[in-house]
Amino acid sequence: RFSSPKVVYRGPGLNWSVPDPGNPPGNYYYRVKACNSWGDSPWSNVSSTMVAHADIIVNGGFETGPPAEPWVQGSSEGLELIHNLGARTGRWGVYMGGLTSVTDQIYQTVRIPATAGSAQLAYWHLIRTGDSTETAYDEMRCIIWDARGDVLSFCGEFSNIDQSQDWVRETCDLSEFKGQTVDVGFKAFNDGMYSTQFFIDDVSLTVSSSTSLHLSDGDATESPDP
């Protein structure tokens, strides 16, 4: 039997898809029945599907446009950080460091499933500067915070020295934070002399399944929430 069933769809349609960003990795069991004014049909046989990989970052391409929820942004100068100048793909991306003497930050809170086999963060960045390319004055960091705001990890530290002619992809293994709720964020600092523009786009945090569950004969148990 299903230990904790949840109705995910009720309506006239014959097809249904899991809304973005989808379910965490794991085995999921489902059944259906038909309903009309005369009553309900019996439940169908139980079927299962396995989600092996899932991206738990929501709106990683920022394509909803400003303010690009659920991203949370802040700027010491009140700048809007979601901008079409920051797009690597699509229309929108992150544009930080548009002024001198500015601190910009954008982050998203996610929970990395305890059952995940791995958790891989990836993002793209592009750096343009009017500052020196020999001495670091302006900085941008990819930071992982915990629920208390304590820094758990730096997943990239860059400066005006790292000016790039094209987009660069970065990756970071976050598997050590399985079972935790963390903030995945980007923070840029410009000094008061010359500005450096830091662009971010196409952020993902892909988690993979580490377990495979199966129904035994005559058993129809829904897998627990990973």
Side-chain angles (χ1 to χ4, degrees):
R1 62 182 177 82
F2 281 81
S3 59
S4 54
K6 180 176 68 173
V7 176
V8 295
Y9 175 76
R10 187 191 305 272
L14 299 179
N15 297 289
W16 178 80
S17 298
V18 178
D20 287 337
N23 286 332
N27 271 42
Y28 294 86
Y29 303 98
Y30 61 92
R31 59 184 181 178
V32 298
K33 68 177 178 179
C35 308
N36 60 23
S37 58
W38 290 0
D40 296 357
S41 74
W43 284 106
S44 70
N45 292 331
V46 174
S47 296
S48 67
T49 185
M50 186 182 79
V51 178
H53 298 86
D55 182 4
I56 60 175
I57 289 288
V58 179
N59 196 17
F62 310 96
E63 288 306 302
T64 59
E69 295 176 348
W71 293 97
V72 179
Q73 59 174 304
S75 170
S76 62
E77 296 298 319
L79 300 177
E80 172 58 62
L81 304 184
I82 307 302
H83 202 289
N84 53 17
L85 288 178
R88 170 183 171 267
T89 58
R91 182 180 177 188
W92 301 98
V94 175
Y95 173 24
M96 298 188 294
L99 297 173
T100 58
S101 302
V102 68
T103 300
D104 296 328
Q105 175 178 289
I106 187 166
Y107 70 91
Q108 180 176 147
T109 302
V110 298
R111 180 181 181 274
I112 302 177
T115 56
S118 64
Q120 187 82 1
L121 175 68
Y123 61 93
W124 293 79
H125 66 80
L126 175 66
I127 300 173
R128 293 280 187 260
T129 188
D131 214 326
S132 167
T133 55
E134 296 181 356
T135 304
Y137 296 107
D138 309 318
E139 299 179 1
M140 189 272 287
R141 300 172 181 173
C142 176
I143 308 172
I144 310 301
W145 296 277
D146 65 12
R148 299 184 300 274
D150 296 330
V151 174
L152 298 176
S153 179
F154 290 107
C155 292
E157 299 181 73
F158 311 96
S159 73
N160 46 284
I161 296 176
D162 300 303
Q163 176 172 238
S164 52
Q165 298 302 313
D166 204 348
W167 289 89
V168 179
R169 185 175 186 263
E170 303 289 343
T171 61
C172 184
D173 187 0
L174 301 185
S175 300
E176 64 180 297
F177 307 123
K178 290 185 294 185
Q180 297 187 44
T181 297
V182 300
D183 292 335
V184 177
F186 301 89
K187 192 169 186 177
F189 316 82
N190 273 354
D191 69 3
M193 292 296 293
Y194 303 99
S195 66
T196 300
Q197 295 79 50
F198 299 98
F199 303 97
I200 301 291
D201 202 4
D202 299 325
V203 183
S204 64
L205 179 47
T206 303
V207 294
S208 63
S209 176
S210 62
T211 59
S212 179
L213 304 178
H214 301 279
L215 285 174
S216 59
D217 292 341
D219 189 20
T221 303
E222 185 181 34
S223 64
D225 185 20

